[in-house]
Amino acid sequence: SGRDPLVTYRRLHYRWALLSGRSKVAVLVIALFLFQHVVLGLWDHFFLQVGNLTSSEKASDAQYFAVAINTYKRPDMLREAVQHYASTCGRQAGVSQVFVIWAEQNSKIPEPESFFSNNDRIVNNRAQVHILQKSKDSLNSRFEPISQLESDAVFMVDDDLRVACPSLLHAFHAWKRNPDSMVGYYPRLASTPRGQPSSQEL
């Protein structure tokens, strides 16, 4: 048979009364510490489950992404960049389209096939290459809408930068887990001009 709750309460109350003031304070501190850890543990567990659910709901099922290359009067670098992202990386690294942002107003627009050699024209891994002619020379041209875009993800890069194919694919997988975030490489450093207060905003 179980103990009488009233008897148990009286025994505990009696033992509590026998404790000194310091002992009571110590017991209260320990009880509060344990209670805090239990509450925080439950709190973290709850929000971790909610966070995982939210992340899975937002995850993208995209299989491929596009690369937009910004260039200006560097034909050799552009050719190497197109070959790298469209052919070397290509579809096996998740790249289905490569867009060249062409803002050179007085230069002939290159044909997509001109970036590849004759021996490289029938590679199944190669991504589609498109030349986007712009009406003016502006760094903001890369942010204009792309009507031919077939994917939800676009990796923007300058013609002098080469991201390794495995790193490119890894970044795409990282983006797919949370497509509301931006993923990229080579961050730019912004600092205040010399002689200006450090608190001045650029």
Side-chain angles (χ1 to χ4, degrees):
S1 60
R3 294 182 178 181
D4 186 352
L6 182 59
V7 174
T8 302
Y9 169 76
R10 288 178 177 175
R11 288 179 178 177
L12 292 174
H13 187 270
Y14 174 73
R15 292 177 180 177
W16 176 260
L18 294 178
L19 294 176
S20 64
R22 291 184 177 179
S23 298
K24 290 180 180 180
V25 172
V27 171
L28 289 175
V29 170
I30 294 174
L32 181 61
F33 178 78
L34 293 175
F35 176 77
Q36 179 182 6
H37 274 262
V38 171
V39 171
L40 292 178
L42 293 174
W43 182 277
D44 289 343
H45 177 74
F46 172 76
F47 278 97
L48 179 61
Q49 295 299 325
V50 173
N52 289 338
L53 177 62
T54 303
S55 179
S56 63
E57 288 177 347
K58 290 183 177 180
S60 171
D61 58 355
Q63 299 299 315
Y64 298 99
F65 64 97
V67 175
I69 303 175
N70 195 60
T71 185
Y72 190 74
K73 295 185 177 181
R74 296 192 290 196
D76 293 336
M77 284 189 178
L78 175 60
R79 183 180 301 104
E80 293 176 0
V82 172
Q83 290 176 355
H84 174 74
Y85 292 109
S87 184
T88 303
C89 296
R91 301 181 69 85
Q92 66 182 2
V95 182
S96 62
Q97 294 177 293
V98 171
F99 295 95
V100 176
I101 312 301
W102 189 264
E104 299 181 26
Q105 303 302 307
N106 299 321
S107 300
K108 181 181 178 181
I109 302 176
E111 294 293 332
E113 290 295 331
S114 66
F115 295 107
F116 307 98
S117 64
N118 293 330
N119 297 330
D120 193 35
R121 291 180 180 273
I122 55 175
V123 178
N124 294 330
N125 180 58
R126 189 198 302 173
Q128 301 175 23
V129 178
H130 305 269
I131 311 299
L132 302 180
Q133 183 180 12
K134 299 300 178 179
S135 59
K136 60 180 179 179
D137 176 16
S138 173
L139 292 175
N140 294 326
S141 296
R142 71 181 76 186
F143 303 115
E144 295 178 357
I146 302 175
S147 59
Q148 304 98 313
L149 187 63
E150 298 176 352
S151 59
D152 296 329
V154 179
F155 176 68
M156 294 187 175
V157 65
D158 289 339
D159 57 8
D160 60 340
L161 298 178
R162 311 283 182 272
V163 177
C165 302
S167 299
L168 201 62
L169 184 59
H170 179 73
F172 178 51
H173 288 162
W175 172 84
K176 286 177 63 176
R177 287 193 292 270
N178 193 346
D180 290 337
S181 300
M182 297 180 66
V183 178
Y185 301 91
Y186 307 109
R188 303 296 186 182
L189 174 64
S191 59
T192 55
R194 294 182 179 180
Q196 298 294 331
S198 59
S199 60
Q200 180 177 347
E201 294 183 358
L202 295 178

